[in-house]
Amino acid sequence: AKSICGEERKLKNRSFTLMLFLTIVTLSFWPREAASKKHAANEPLLSCEFPLSLPDPRFNSPSKYLEIYRRDLNNETAFYPAAACLTHSGKVAAAEKLSKEASKDHPKWASPYFILAKTAEFALEDEQAIALYQRAVKLNPQWLQAGYDYAMALKAYENFKEAVTVAEAALKICDAYPEAKATHKYKHLLRRCKAESLYNLHDYNAAALEIMKEPADKRSQPVQKLLAQCYRERKQWPKLLSCTSSYLKSHPQDEDFRFFFFLAYSGSGQWQKAIDDLTMNLRLYDARKPKKLGLSELYDKREVRLLRAQLYDKLGKKDLAEKERAILNQQMGQTYKETIFRAKQ
């Protein structure tokens, strides 16, 4: 009986040991498997492995992020906030030193080269910054922030053709992962960068087509203005009128876009409508003008009156043209005297 009980205990102990072993093995492999499945499910988030927006360095000390990184020097997602926060808080030399150390220890990390590109920009070393951005994008092509900053650096350096290529590559990532958070943030920025580069390459049609991919209600004023400029360069006056009209419905006080009305009307030979639009511009200007105008404040108004005088000449209304120029000269003389008087005070 004792031997039987002893055997039962041994069997129970063996069973318990086996179950414990299987549990440990399962727990050791399950999180890794779950993490890999989660990573596969969130494949679009590969481009947002690093925070899209960092905490404001005025309220968050970089030391907190440095402490986290020092605990795990092999964690790139811990390195980036530490280095970026140093950069944002003005500690550029410290960020550069930290990034150089990380790039030596982990040459396949993209983020150290990205931070080094930022420090190079601070030092106005444009060519070096572009080379570092290029390396960061090569190591992590799906990091949209790096792709966007790389394209913008190329555009600023007036390498417009390469900027278009880089922006196109990043936009393909956006199209592949439409639900990624980085896509929502950077897609319209990349389109604007590409459109501006195409405009500078004088490919106005391609620039306009790129802008048109963005819904009209989501376009910013500079983007809508760029579209209008594309139509102006191609002398597509009906499209320019349509573009300007749709924008002014929601922004009626925007004088820049009212001036596109003048360009479209005068370009298509509708002189009277062009004069009417210039008159509306003068009324808007008078409604917001300061009590005392200086030379710089009067410049736009002077241009409008000169253009209106020229259009009166085209219509054969010489008397109105002369009247316009007389008012202009009188205002310019009075404003000049007032400006000199205030300057002496």
Side-chain angles (χ1 to χ4, degrees):
K2 289 181 180 180
S3 62
I4 291 173
C5 289
E7 289 296 328
E8 287 179 353
R9 287 195 193 97
K10 288 180 181 179
L11 286 172
K12 287 181 180 180
N13 289 336
R14 287 176 184 173
S15 299
F16 177 77
T17 304
L18 180 61
M19 290 177 64
L20 181 62
F21 173 77
L22 291 173
T23 303
I24 293 172
V25 170
T26 303
L27 289 174
S28 64
F29 280 96
W30 179 82
R32 191 179 304 173
E33 183 181 357
S36 63
K37 287 181 179 178
K38 183 179 179 182
H39 185 70
N42 292 339
E43 193 69 22
L45 299 183
L46 284 173
S47 56
C48 348
E49 288 176 348
F50 312 110
L52 290 179
S53 59
L54 291 169
D56 194 324
R58 292 175 296 177
F59 306 106
N60 295 275
S61 173
S63 59
K64 181 175 71 174
Y65 303 101
L66 283 169
E67 183 181 352
I68 296 171
Y69 173 58
R70 294 301 184 190
R71 292 174 188 168
D72 187 4
L73 295 174
N74 295 318
N75 189 346
E76 188 179 5
T77 56
F79 159 80
Y80 178 73
C85 200
L86 283 171
T87 307
H88 289 193
S89 59
K91 299 178 180 179
V92 180
E96 184 178 11
K97 182 181 178 182
L98 186 69
S99 300
K100 285 182 177 179
E101 291 174 356
S103 65
K104 289 179 182 178
D105 296 336
H106 305 282
K108 292 185 178 181
W109 283 6
S111 53
Y113 299 104
F114 178 81
I115 297 296
L116 287 171
K118 292 294 182 188
T119 60
E121 285 184 330
F122 275 113
L124 302 179
E125 296 174 351
D126 296 331
E127 291 185 6
Q128 185 179 354
I130 288 171
L132 289 164
Y133 278 131
Q134 184 181 25
R135 190 161 185 177
V137 171
K138 187 176 181 180
L139 289 168
N140 188 355
Q142 292 180 318
W143 190 9
L144 292 181
Q145 183 181 1
Y148 170 69
D149 287 356
Y150 180 27
M152 289 295 290
L154 288 166
K155 183 171 75 73
Y157 200 62
E158 297 187 0
N159 190 346
F160 302 119
K161 188 174 181 180
E162 190 63 25
V164 170
T165 303
V166 172
E168 283 178 345
L171 284 167
K172 287 180 181 179
I173 302 294
C174 294
D175 294 336
Y177 306 124
E179 299 302 321
K181 291 180 181 179
T183 295
H184 295 299
K185 178 172 183 178
Y186 288 105
K187 190 170 185 177
H188 70 283
L189 296 173
L190 286 162
R191 277 179 176 162
R192 178 178 174 180
C193 178
K194 181 182 175 183
E196 289 173 345
S197 299
L198 287 167
Y199 182 87
N200 284 296
L201 289 169
H202 308 295
D203 194 347
Y204 306 118
N205 188 52
L209 290 174
E210 190 63 36
I211 295 171
M212 291 294 289
K213 292 178 183 178
E214 194 81 16
D217 58 337
K218 293 185 178 180
R219 293 179 208 145
S220 62
Q221 194 263 10
V223 173
Q224 193 74 5
K225 186 176 181 180
L226 180 63
L227 179 62
Q229 288 171 336
C230 291
Y231 291 146
R232 174 193 176 185
E233 294 290 345
R234 290 181 60 81
K235 301 185 185 331
Q236 296 176 320
W237 309 123
K239 287 186 176 181
L240 179 57
L241 278 172
S242 176
C243 170
T244 306
S245 299
S246 63
Y247 183 80
L248 284 174
K249 285 179 182 179
S250 55
H251 302 82
Q253 303 298 319
D254 195 317
E255 294 173 24
D256 288 340
F257 267 83
R258 291 216 62 86
F259 191 69
F260 280 120
F261 265 138
F262 158 75
L263 293 173
Y265 288 138
S266 60
S268 56
Q270 301 180 63
W271 311 122
Q272 189 56 54
K273 287 186 176 181
I275 290 173
D276 294 341
D277 184 68
L278 289 175
T279 303
M280 178 63 72
N281 273 338
L282 285 174
R283 288 174 183 170
L284 289 172
Y285 188 87
D286 289 336
R288 68 165 179 80
K289 71 178 182 179
K291 292 182 179 180
K292 294 183 178 180
L293 294 174
L295 290 176
S296 59
E297 290 86 356
L298 193 63
Y299 180 76
D300 290 339
K301 191 171 182 178
R302 178 178 181 272
E303 288 296 310
V304 169
R305 287 198 177 277
L306 281 173
L307 290 169
R308 197 160 65 167
Q310 292 171 4
L311 289 173
Y312 281 135
D313 285 332
K314 289 180 180 293
L315 289 171
K317 299 179 179 180
K318 301 295 182 182
D319 53 337
L320 292 176
E322 291 301 324
K323 182 180 178 180
E324 199 74 44
R325 292 188 176 96
I327 295 172
L328 177 61
N329 291 332
Q330 182 182 359
Q331 288 180 343
M332 285 295 293
Q334 182 180 354
T335 304
Y336 177 76
K337 292 177 182 178
E338 290 180 357
T339 304
I340 295 299
F341 177 75
R342 290 201 303 270
K344 288 182 178 179
Q345 287 183 331

